[in-house]
Amino acid sequence: MSGAANPTPPLAPPLAALLELTHRCPLQCPYCSNPIELERAKGELSTDEWRRVLDEAAELGVLQVHFSGGEPTVRRDLPELVAHARRIGLYSNLITSGVTLDRARLAVLAQAGLDHAQLSIQDVDHQTAAHIANHPGVQGKKLAFARWVREIGLPLTINAVVNRHNVTRVERMIDLAVELGAVRVEVAHVQYYGWALRNRAALMPTLEQVQEATQRVEAARARLRGQIVIDYVVPDYYARQPKSCMGGWGRQFLNITPSGEVLPCHAAQTIPGLVFDSVRHKPLAEIWASSAAFEAYRGTDWMPEPCRSCDQREVDWGGCRCQALAITGSAAAADPACALSPAHQEMRSLAEAASAAPAPDFVYRRMTPQETPAKVAAATR
Ligand code: SF4
Ligand code: FES
């Protein structure tokens, strides 16, 4: 693959911002996208600080904000933040585990101007769901939450995270989303960063399981056309082409941690040497335009071969930096999901070996780190 370099286009504003209001969460999913070292409540931005961040995001040109976590509903000021987003014209989405709110508190959020709710599920099987979340009775609470969302009149997306424990039930998870009245279901194979990387062997399905799941998703798409939108996030370890992670580093998206650090993606803190600016010290627009962490892998100038001369470099933007780091030890390498990466076969072999062995116990997501990030990186490489 080859192609001539294009002039760099002017920097557009981010389309969306993921606001991690807190890392506190009642669930302990072993594939959580939060970092291994979770932030404590005492370091979280205050209500006033989050309001200012929303103002700055709107001024910058952000269109959508995703209130996320941890579990964002453990912040008692969430209705105020939702109302503020509505006042300044931001579309707001709540990304939730669905186990903390009752119907009345959900109604308050809807009244404050919430536009959309996104509910994650661990499985259709109640016992496996409780095991994955390490939370007895989790499925019953989620089903009740989904009902309330629809009764109150909010649009609902179901996010089903696929791993070796539930991969045979993808079709039933899609059918559940239809039953719950969701407008969209995202069937997403686990992405192996942070906690999921630590739990890779416990989560990785076999190639045959993945192929069967993919066929079942395709069949469901044909069967349910016009009833529900089905998004499918493929498993990188069995892919031949990388995904355009985040739509390209620093191109469409930013992520703000509970204490206000601004990241190009949720796993960016795993990359050694990157320094992240905080909304506590700099305006969001300045961070977006010129922060060292955003500049590090923005565009194509940083790319080594094979990406540098590849005609896909402005399509997938070299894939995922965090995955390149996790497998090759270098965040600047081509994503090993790409068949042109020298580490492509190594990544496939890691997946095959992990999925062929019996699944080890989960290392559940907890506030107290069980291992340091450096030890985790060494253990999972
Ligand atoms: Fe090309 Fe790099 Fe994308 Fe592979 S990861 S298709 S080499 S730009
Ligand atoms: Fe960080 Fe893909 S998750 S670039």
Side-chain angles (χ1 to χ4, degrees):
M1 299 185 203
S2 68
N6 292 326
T8 313
L11 182 63
L15 299 173
L18 186 89
L19 312 180
E20 291 178 2
L21 298 185
T22 180
H23 280 166
R24 289 172 283 152
C25 183
L27 306 191
Q28 298 183 349
C29 305
Y31 45 68
C32 179
S33 64
N34 289 156
I36 299 276
E37 280 191 77
L38 296 162
E39 293 184 12
R40 309 243 155 211
K42 65 178 185 321
E44 291 173 7
L45 297 183
S46 66
T47 310
D48 282 348
E49 286 174 314
W50 277 120
R51 270 205 219 97
R52 179 172 57 77
V53 168
L54 288 167
D55 288 336
E56 291 183 7
E59 275 163 34
L60 175 58
V62 169
L63 301 175
Q64 296 184 6
V65 286
H66 302 280
F67 290 110
S68 178
E71 173 50 54
T73 60
V74 304
R75 289 271 307 215
R76 306 302 288 192
D77 57 359
L78 185 59
E80 282 175 74
L81 300 178
V82 167
H84 193 72
R86 166 56 66 101
R87 237 183 337 265
I88 60 178
L90 289 167
Y91 180 94
S92 63
N93 177 34
L94 174 68
I95 301 178
T96 180
S97 64
V99 303
T100 45
L101 282 188
D102 57 21
R103 195 183 192 285
R105 285 189 65 210
L106 179 62
V108 168
L109 287 176
Q111 216 148 25
L114 185 69
D115 290 297
H116 184 272
Q118 185 168 336
L119 173 69
S120 60
I121 58 167
Q122 280 73 12
D123 203 336
V124 284
D125 178 81
H126 287 228
Q127 221 176 338
T128 317
H131 174 59
I132 293 173
N134 203 19
H135 191 93
V138 71
Q139 190 74 350
K141 292 180 188 172
K142 283 172 184 276
L143 297 181
F145 178 84
R147 261 200 324 276
W148 299 331
V149 170
R150 299 301 301 125
E151 282 168 15
I152 286 170
L154 284 171
L156 173 70
T157 289
I158 295 291
N159 185 8
V161 182
V162 181
N163 58 77
R164 67 190 291 176
H165 300 275
N166 64 13
V167 63
T168 57
R169 292 184 284 279
V170 285
E171 214 164 357
R172 287 177 57 199
M173 290 194 268
I174 294 169
D175 287 339
L176 176 63
V178 174
E179 270 168 53
L180 294 173
V183 288
R184 192 170 77 92
V185 56
E186 184 177 298
V187 181
H189 284 270
V190 169
Q191 308 286 300
Y192 293 95
Y193 325 109
W195 290 96
L197 185 60
R198 177 67 190 85
N199 283 292
R200 184 170 60 197
L203 294 165
M204 185 67 71
T206 64
L207 176 61
E208 293 69 32
Q209 286 173 324
V210 165
Q211 285 171 334
E212 189 173 337
T214 304
Q215 281 171 8
R216 285 176 185 272
V217 170
E218 287 310 323
R221 272 188 176 144
R223 176 166 61 86
L224 298 168
R225 188 161 298 129
Q227 279 189 64
I228 190 167
V229 176
I230 304 174
D231 291 334
Y232 188 51
V233 178
V234 296
D236 290 323
Y237 279 63
Y238 294 116
R240 289 189 56 76
Q241 290 176 317
K243 61 182 181 288
S244 168
C245 197
M246 304 293 137
W249 183 276
R251 292 189 70 249
Q252 300 185 348
F253 177 87
L254 58 81
N255 185 101
I256 305 182
T257 72
S259 64
E261 289 196 339
V262 188
L263 317 179
C265 70
H266 55 269
Q269 288 162 314
T270 59
I271 301 178
L274 287 187
V275 178
F276 304 100
D277 287 315
S278 168
V279 292
R280 282 189 164 134
H281 308 301
K282 284 189 183 171
L284 194 57
E286 185 183 329
I287 296 173
W288 175 252
S290 58
S291 135
F294 279 84
E295 288 293 283
Y297 302 110
R298 184 176 259 153
T300 55
D301 288 350
W302 58 272
M303 288 179 175
E305 296 295 348
C307 300
R308 174 168 286 276
S309 55
C310 176
D311 63 8
Q312 295 300 298
R313 67 184 179 277
E314 291 185 9
V315 177
D316 63 35
W317 304 95
C320 176
R321 299 306 85 231
C322 303
Q323 186 146 271
L325 173 79
I327 303 294
T328 73
S330 166
D335 185 337
C338 176
L340 298 177
S341 157
H344 182 69
Q345 190 48 47
E346 182 196 343
M347 182 153 100
R348 172 67 73 94
S349 303
L350 283 170
E352 286 169 354
S355 61
D361 289 343
F362 292 141
V363 178
Y364 284 114
R365 171 211 197 269
R366 291 206 176 103
M367 266 294 166
T368 313
Q370 293 132 323
E371 300 177 68
T372 65
K375 275 191 194 156
V376 169
T380 46
R381 210 165 276 157

